[in-house]
Amino acid sequence: GVQTCALPIFYWTVDELTAAFYLAERKYTTQSYAHLRTVLDLLEKAELFFQQPVWADVWASADKKKIVEELSPKAIRKKLGRPKFDPVYGFYSELGIHGTWEALRKRVTQTGKRKDRTQVAMRIGGTPWDSEVEMAIVGCIMTVFTTLLAVVKIYDTRLHQREAVTIVRARFEGMREFLREH
């Protein structure tokens, strides 16, 4: 059934979260955000397929045009009754997967200015700023928590509710403490 379809999607999110954290630790924040955005895509698909199973069949079909039209992130959010624009998804898109000016600014620093020339340093090999790395790691932590909530939501009838609530609360408190400290 559809809950079975969600299981491999959740496993896929684990790979993406692992890659995102690995890259963030090594100062590749742009690349980390790209993986976090993929997780959000996957979580929305899992939720849509659970709520409206017909879309899982479309996703698994060979009709690429229909898949692109009906299962784009905006189309999925609309089907889920959410606004088309998700600010977290937008943040990950702008700084991760799309070649935007804002993402470029995170890699370039003005080092000086002479008459008609501006001198810049361009960072190759990740960001030199710890604040950028910390932000990517916070994104990883929050996306892990979002994933945990999605698992509990989709598999709620198969989970021991009291235990699930206890685990979610404990993880939330752990996340909150980490964010408070860092």
Side-chain angles (χ1 to χ4, degrees):
V2 176
Q3 287 183 332
T4 305
C5 177
L7 189 58
I9 291 175
F10 287 128
Y11 278 107
W12 186 357
T13 66
V14 172
D15 281 349
E16 293 295 328
L17 289 164
T18 301
F21 187 72
Y22 179 87
L23 290 163
E25 278 187 312
R26 285 151 184 82
K27 300 185 177 211
Y28 288 94
T29 56
T30 303
Q31 294 79 3
S32 178
Y33 291 138
H35 288 279
L36 293 175
R37 188 185 105 150
T38 298
V39 171
L40 296 183
D41 279 334
L42 293 168
L43 294 177
E44 287 178 339
K45 279 182 178 72
E47 187 174 349
L48 179 67
F49 299 162
F50 178 71
Q51 289 180 13
Q52 301 173 35
V54 66
W55 296 113
D57 294 333
V58 170
W59 191 52
S61 76
D63 189 344
K64 301 300 181 197
K65 184 178 180 191
K66 187 170 184 178
I67 292 168
V68 169
E69 289 173 358
E70 297 292 341
L71 297 175
S72 71
K74 287 180 182 179
I76 288 174
R77 282 189 216 104
K78 184 177 179 183
K79 287 172 179 52
L80 291 170
R82 296 182 185 146
K84 283 191 214 177
F85 180 75
D86 176 339
V88 175
Y89 185 90
F91 176 82
Y92 293 157
S93 296
E94 183 178 359
L95 295 182
I97 207 148
H98 297 302
T100 64
W101 173 250
E102 186 62 25
L104 179 67
R105 281 186 347 102
K106 304 284 184 185
R107 297 172 167 271
V108 178
T109 304
Q110 182 176 333
T111 59
K113 205 167 192 161
R114 292 185 191 167
K115 296 182 185 180
D116 296 336
R117 289 181 154 171
T118 299
Q119 294 175 315
V120 297
M122 291 177 269
R123 179 70 178 171
I124 297 172
T127 181
W129 298 286
D130 288 341
S131 62
E132 292 297 320
V133 173
E134 290 165 0
M135 188 64 192
I137 290 174
V138 165
C140 290
I141 292 167
M142 292 179 69
T143 306
V144 166
F145 190 74
T146 301
T147 302
L148 177 61
L149 290 175
V151 169
V152 169
K153 183 176 185 177
I154 288 176
Y155 289 104
D156 70 334
T157 60
R158 295 183 178 189
L159 299 173
H160 184 273
Q161 287 299 309
R162 189 171 291 147
E163 183 179 9
V165 168
T166 300
I167 290 169
V168 168
R169 280 188 180 149
R171 296 296 71 87
F172 180 77
E173 286 303 318
M175 179 180 72
R176 196 167 71 160
E177 282 302 312
F178 178 84
L179 295 175
R180 209 178 281 148
E181 287 179 34
H182 297 81

